[in-house]
């Protein structure tokens, strides 16, 4: 396997630094003054916190972020407690009579960045996690742009544009951005396979699909996977003019590799997706919000 050249490594390091600078510009209070990136201001709209609302408090603008307080933040706290006490984060004993944690796919306790909860305070971990997912959006978009052979300036523009897009920023408190972050990597994997770089395409697709399924946004993951399947099939059927392989055998190999990558991803993520599927079979699953 060919190692990246020093020039390529330098290019990626520069892009990584550019994204960090952009995040510092967007979130100066967080990076320079230690403010948490959590929508705690919503608490002041409800009792008993509304009795302590400061006069200068501003009303919340991003109504979608309230889900971070209702679901995501409490899952962070329970998962952090379990990890720090050497337990598996399988169950939430603090809500009602207890409810699933691992099987609630939105908790995404097996998503690798969640390991921040094992070493950081939940608020610090959540803040760093939000910045990290936005940074990942930018890096995967850069990978996709360079795979399409865009020049470095255009690829940097595409990278920053996806990272600061309305969807990524508005849903950064929840798991939707975690899923969306890996879509560019899947598209890049498809193009690598169609170019004949099958090994790189397979491992990129398997990694991106695994992380997409672990991200904790089942609705976004299913919609993204379906849209990607349509894209990939159209690229295979598009002919030589669109860059698809000339020979039918090469197209079949690309399709088979992509299917194998998704099968591998499904097997790796089974410890999280299978319990979630079992919970969805419960009559009260959607009433309790598990199916959201």
């Amino acid at each position: 396997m060919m190692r990246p050249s020093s020039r390529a490594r330098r290019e990626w390091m520069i892009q990584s630094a550019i994204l960090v600078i952009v995040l510092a510009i967007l979130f100066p209070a967080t990076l320079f003054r230690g403010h948490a990136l959590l929508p705690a201001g919503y608490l002041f709209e409800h009792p008993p916190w509304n009795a302590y609302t400061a006069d200068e408090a501003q009303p919340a603008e991003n109504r979608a972020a309230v889900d971070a307080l209702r679901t995501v933040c409490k899952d962070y706290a329970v998962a952090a407690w379990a990890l720090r006490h050497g337990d598996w984060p399988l169950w939430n004993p603090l809500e009602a009579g207890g409810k699933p944690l691992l099987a609630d796919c939105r908790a995404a306790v097996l998503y690798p960045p969640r390991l921040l909860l094992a070493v950081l305070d939940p608020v610090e971990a959540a803040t760093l996690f939000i910045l990290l997912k936005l940074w990942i959006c930018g890096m995967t978009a850069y990978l996709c742009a360079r795979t399409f052979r865009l020049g470095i300036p255009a690829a940097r523009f595409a990278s920053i544009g996806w990272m600061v897009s309305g969807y990524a920023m508005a849903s950064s408190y929840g798991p939707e951005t975690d899923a969306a972050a890996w879509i560019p990597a899947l598209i890049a994997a498809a193009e690598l396979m169609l170019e004949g770089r099958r090994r790189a395409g397979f491992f990129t697709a398997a990694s991106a699909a695994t992380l997409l399924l672990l991200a904790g946004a089942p609705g976004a993951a299913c919609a993204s996977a379906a849209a990607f399947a349509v894209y990939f099939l159209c690229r295979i059927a598009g002919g030589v003019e669109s860059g698809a392989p000339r020979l039918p055998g090469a197209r079949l190999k690309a399709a088979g590799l992509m299917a194998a990558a998704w099968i591998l991803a499904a097997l790796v993520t089974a410890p999280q997706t299978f319990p979630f599927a079992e919970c969805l079979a419960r009559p009260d699953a959607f009433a309790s919000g598990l199916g959201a």
Side-chain angles (χ1 to χ4, degrees), residues 60-172:
E61 297 180 0
N62 182 7
R63 305 305 306 181
V66 72
D67 290 341
L69 291 180
R70 292 176 176 171
T71 59
V72 179
C73 291
K74 62 181 178 62
D75 291 338
Y76 283 160
V78 176
W81 185 90
L83 292 171
R84 293 185 178 193
H85 288 79
D87 296 333
W88 287 95
L90 304 177
W91 187 254
N92 176 2
L94 304 178
E95 188 170 348
K99 61 171 289 188
L101 184 64
L102 173 67
D104 184 350
C105 195
R106 297 166 305 178
V109 295
L110 298 183
Y111 189 53
R114 288 286 195 273
L115 293 176
L116 291 170
L117 295 168
V119 295
L120 296 175
D121 176 88
V123 174
E124 295 174 350
T127 298
L128 184 56
F129 184 68
I130 290 171
L131 295 174
L132 178 61
K133 69 172 74 177
L134 292 172
W135 179 86
I136 292 173
C137 281
M139 294 303 289
T140 56
Y142 190 75
L143 168 65
C144 184
R146 293 296 281 157
T147 303
F148 275 97
R149 294 186 172 84
L150 268 67
I152 291 179
R156 298 201 195 285
F157 179 81
S159 172
I160 296 172
W162 179 230
M163 184 180 74
V164 303
S165 64
Y167 179 82
M169 297 293 289
S171 59
S172 60

Side-chain angles (χ1 to χ4, degrees), residues 219-251:
C222 291
S224 300
F228 172 73
V230 173
Y231 168 83
F232 186 63
L233 292 175
C234 289
R235 289 288 287 117
I236 288 179
V240 181
E241 295 78 11
S242 65
R246 183 183 298 272
L247 299 176
R251 301 184 190 188

